[in-house]
Amino acid sequence: MGTEHRHNDDQNYGHTQNKSLTEDEKKQKQIDDWLPITSSRNAKWWYSAFHNVTAMVGAGVLSLPFAMAELGWGPGVTIMVVSWLITLYTLWQMVEMHEVGDGRRLDRYHELGQYAFGDKLGLWIVVPQQLLVEVGVDIVYMVTGGRSLKKVHDLVCDESCKDIKLTYFIMIFASCHFFLAQLPNFNSISIVSLAAAVMSLSYSTIAWVASVKKGVQPDAEYTYRASTQTGKFFNFLSALGDVAFAYAGHNVVLEIQATIPSTPEKPSKGPMWKGVVVAYIVVAICYFPVAFIGYYVFGNKISDNILESLEKPVWLIVIANMFVVVHVIGSYQIYAMPVFDMMETFLVKKLHFAPGLPLRLIARTCYVAFTMFVAICFPFFGGLLGFFGGFAFAPTTYFLPCIMWLAIKKPRKFGLSWFTNWVCIVLGVLLMILAPIGGLRSIIISASKYKFFS
């Protein structure tokens, strides 16, 4: 799936461009010029900023006050800040590793894996995890989009309105993706992504400003929600997964960087890093006020989506929910693009289908339909976040980049870089083991009260 990609150097970066290409190389180049990740390489640094904001600030931000209620003040603030620092550091490593010294560009996460661990092993380590993250996020966003639409409907409608099932709202949300999924590459979805980034900043601001306006609730308590020690422990683990889910942008970072032009004199890591720094400042502005103010105002009575705790003013909550819908439309596409790239690479290079509109139409429509169907079957939002957050996001975000850095850059043993990476690896592995346990338990508890296709 990925080894063939290794030759697709940038127009002004590769060596093969200047020599006469063989028939095979011409064919490969045509395919690479068609595939979504490598077809367009004229992005500016600010594309990277808003693509990263859209990928990072997901609907996960709305569950952060709930995660704080499960973690408590001390551990909660520590975990939020440490996660921000670790993920910024691992993101920097990935940006640095995008260009290899010999003039190649590692345009996809799995290509970096192959460069670090070898062709076969690299694919097996990265692809299943990356797919789990990207498909998992898209399913969770289907649920989020549907729930936000339902919330808008319920708020705007009075008693005379007919109650509509969540299933139908998920289908309404999915309907726009059947069209948007046909946009060929990252640059073509930049308007959608920019709108999504603006929305994420807007609804995060509405969430914490409306909380401040509401003032600390009389029943706000800062004790743990669960009454038993077991409950407290499992909820704590599940909340770790929620936090991991909130920092999940690494799975698309190399693919975003691949759209930026690169030359030996001006490598793409310069503009890309500028965009990442801007994105991370926006992440801090969105995450910390929502998490800390939301928890301070509502205490452990906060719901798993802060907008559901803020019932008034109705018009403001309706607007915030519509912002969430627009944002998850953009986020869905950002996470779907690398999946489309993998599917199309496999169909064209391995199964030798002809690249073109019919292939794209069928493959991408099937993907959207699949994520919609799974979302309709399993809409337990909070538990899904905790489970996916720990199981798949912790490796790809917290420690895989560190292992790759140690394998590729080989820093001096017991030096600062070596030590920092090992600390990140240990913390990441602990997160990967502990968080899914809590998430799985809350899915089981939700599922016991759940009726299919409700």
Side-chain angles (χ1 to χ4, degrees):
M1 183 155 30
T3 34
E4 299 96 335
H5 282 322
R6 298 290 201 75
H7 308 292
N8 77 23
D9 306 320
D10 198 355
Q11 276 88 3
N12 43 10
Y13 209 64
H15 319 298
T16 48
Q17 307 295 327
N18 311 324
K19 298 176 190 168
S20 58
L21 296 171
T22 66
E23 264 323 292
D24 264 7
E25 285 172 332
K26 273 185 190 158
K27 206 168 158 191
Q28 288 299 334
K29 190 183 176 307
Q30 275 175 337
I31 291 172
D32 287 331
D33 289 345
W34 177 78
L35 286 169
I37 301 299
T38 42
S39 62
S40 177
R41 293 212 197 254
N42 53 5
K44 304 283 183 280
W45 73 265
W46 55 84
Y47 282 41
S48 125
F50 56 73
H51 282 330
N52 274 300
V53 170
T54 304
M56 192 78 69
V57 186
V61 66
L62 299 173
S63 70
L64 288 177
F66 182 77
M68 283 291 297
E70 309 283 31
L71 296 168
W73 275 119
V77 172
T78 310
I79 288 162
M80 288 286 298
V81 174
V82 168
S83 286
W84 190 85
L85 292 168
I86 288 178
T87 54
L88 180 59
Y89 172 66
T90 54
L91 202 52
W92 170 77
Q93 289 181 313
M94 291 187 74
V95 170
E96 285 289 313
M97 290 188 285
H98 177 85
E99 273 121 351
V100 189
D102 60 5
R104 266 187 316 199
R105 294 182 70 175
L106 305 174
D107 292 321
R108 298 158 176 87
Y109 203 148
H110 65 79
E111 288 174 25
L112 179 59
Q114 288 175 301
Y115 188 76
F117 309 122
D119 284 346
K120 272 258 161 58
L121 185 63
L123 271 186
W124 279 108
I125 288 173
V126 177
V127 171
Q129 296 192 61
Q130 195 184 6
L131 275 175
L132 196 61
V133 169
E134 285 159 357
V135 179
V137 168
D138 280 345
I139 291 165
V140 171
Y141 283 168
M142 278 281 179
V143 178
T144 312
R147 275 178 62 153
S148 294
L149 283 172
K150 182 169 168 56
K151 181 79 177 161
V152 169
H153 172 268
D154 294 349
L155 285 168
V156 172
C157 261
D158 55 18
E159 283 73 47
S160 59
C161 273
K162 188 174 183 287
D163 184 47
I164 299 175
K165 287 181 184 178
L166 176 60
T167 297
Y168 295 120
F169 285 107
I170 293 174
M171 288 161 109
I172 293 165
F173 179 76
S175 60
C176 70
H177 290 295
F178 287 109
F179 296 103
L180 288 175
Q182 299 309 318
L183 292 169
N185 53 41
F186 265 122
N187 287 352
S188 63
I189 58 171
S190 51
I191 300 295
V192 181
S193 179
L194 177 61
V198 171
M199 292 301 146
S200 58
L201 194 56
S202 308
Y203 70 69
S204 300
T205 308
I206 288 174
W208 71 261
V209 170
S211 298
V212 169
K213 185 92 175 61
K214 205 169 175 100
V216 180
Q217 296 301 291
D219 60 348
E221 289 175 12
Y222 305 108
T223 53
Y224 288 112
R225 181 196 314 269
S227 50
T228 62
Q229 288 302 332
T230 318
K232 286 175 191 171
F233 175 69
F234 281 115
N235 288 348
F236 188 92
L237 299 186
S238 182
L240 289 177
D242 287 355
V243 175
F245 183 89
Y247 291 100
H250 296 53
N251 289 280
V252 291
V253 69
L254 291 175
E255 287 81 352
I256 292 169
Q257 192 168 345
T259 63
I260 295 175
S262 191
T263 61
E265 300 77 46
K266 283 180 92 175
S268 65
K269 64 185 179 188
M272 181 66 187
W273 178 241
K274 208 195 273 182
V276 167
V277 170
V278 171
Y280 254 75
I281 292 167
V282 175
V283 167
I285 294 168
C286 290
Y287 282 16
F288 298 143
V290 173
F292 304 152
I293 294 171
Y295 179 44
Y296 178 64
V297 168
F298 293 102
N300 61 13
K301 300 288 187 293
I302 185 89
S303 74
D304 71 346
N305 176 339
I306 186 173
L307 295 180
E308 289 175 11
S309 290
L310 292 163
E311 273 118 21
K312 301 211 162 47
V314 170
W315 62 270
L316 191 65
I317 309 309
V318 167
I319 290 170
N321 275 288
M322 281 316 296
F323 285 173
V324 172
V325 172
V326 175
H327 174 253
V328 289
I329 286 172
S331 278
Y332 181 97
Q333 291 301 323
I334 291 278
Y335 278 95
M337 200 56 80
V339 182
F340 295 156
D341 184 78
M342 280 188 211
M343 285 174 13
E344 286 160 21
T345 301
F346 180 72
L347 291 169
V348 172
K349 291 192 173 182
K350 286 276 185 282
L351 303 182
H352 307 294
F353 280 91
L357 187 63
L359 174 75
R360 202 158 258 179
L361 192 68
I362 294 164
R364 294 186 179 191
T365 302
C366 288
Y367 175 76
V368 175
F370 168 75
T371 53
M372 177 185 78
F373 177 72
V374 179
I376 288 168
C377 292
F378 306 103
F380 348 106
F381 181 57
L384 281 175
L385 284 186
F387 185 68
F388 280 124
F391 191 62
F393 296 81
T396 51
T397 305
Y398 285 78
F399 66 87
L400 246 185
C402 299
I403 295 172
M404 290 172 178
W405 185 268
L406 292 173
I408 293 169
K409 301 283 185 183
K410 299 184 171 53
R412 188 170 52 83
K413 246 188 188 166
F414 305 111
L416 183 64
S417 169
W418 184 90
F419 184 73
T420 310
N421 281 304
W422 274 108
V423 169
C424 294
I425 291 167
V426 171
L427 291 172
V429 170
L430 282 172
L431 186 63
M432 180 186 78
I433 295 165
L434 297 173
I437 300 169
L440 190 60
R441 178 176 174 266
S442 58
I443 290 177
I444 292 165
I445 291 168
S446 307
S448 62
K449 307 177 216 142
Y450 174 69
K451 290 197 255 327
F452 268 95
F453 306 107
S454 50

